[in-house]
Amino acid sequence: GRVFNGILDEIRVWNVARTAQEIKDNQTTDFDGSEAGLVAYFPMNEGSGLMTGNKANAASSASFVNMDESAWVEGYSIPATDVGVVSISAPDEWTAY
């Protein structure tokens, strides 16, 4: 029943605790996917299509639901309000709308 009405630039999922300073220092860093503790990294740089690759695990990708090609946007700016995930209840599958 929850809906996210916004734009996601990229998604990173870690299996280690990260400090607020680490998050701030790396919020615009492009990772290669091999960083310790990084279990999912979807940079969403494709610019087209309905799937995005996971640089931390090539065997896992994400597909977009209820999205079409017109939803892709170009560019990046640091938002005034940051959003974080407190927990994931099903680590093998999760959905973001």
Side-chain angles (χ1 to χ4, degrees):
R2 295 183 181 171
V3 175
F4 174 76
N5 184 11
I7 296 172
L8 297 173
D9 181 61
E10 66 180 34
I11 297 172
R12 301 173 185 177
V13 178
W14 300 83
N15 67 1
V16 294
R18 309 218 352 118
T19 67
Q21 191 62 49
E22 286 174 318
I23 293 168
K24 183 178 180 184
D25 289 347
N26 292 292
Q27 65 184 347
T28 59
T29 301
D30 289 324
F31 292 121
D32 65 19
S34 66
E35 291 75 15
L38 185 61
V39 296
Y41 178 36
F42 299 100
M44 296 189 209
N45 291 334
E46 289 83 0
S48 65
L50 298 178
M51 295 189 75
T52 187
N54 180 354
K55 289 179 80 173
N57 180 353
S60 172
S61 62
S63 58
F64 303 116
V65 178
N66 297 327
M67 180 180 137
D68 61 37
E69 296 279 334
S70 68
W72 286 99
V73 296
E74 189 70 31
Y76 173 81
S77 61
I78 298 173
T81 304
D82 192 14
V83 177
V85 175
V86 176
S87 67
I88 298 174
S89 59
D92 295 332
E93 180 177 331
W94 55 279
T95 305
Y97 292 95

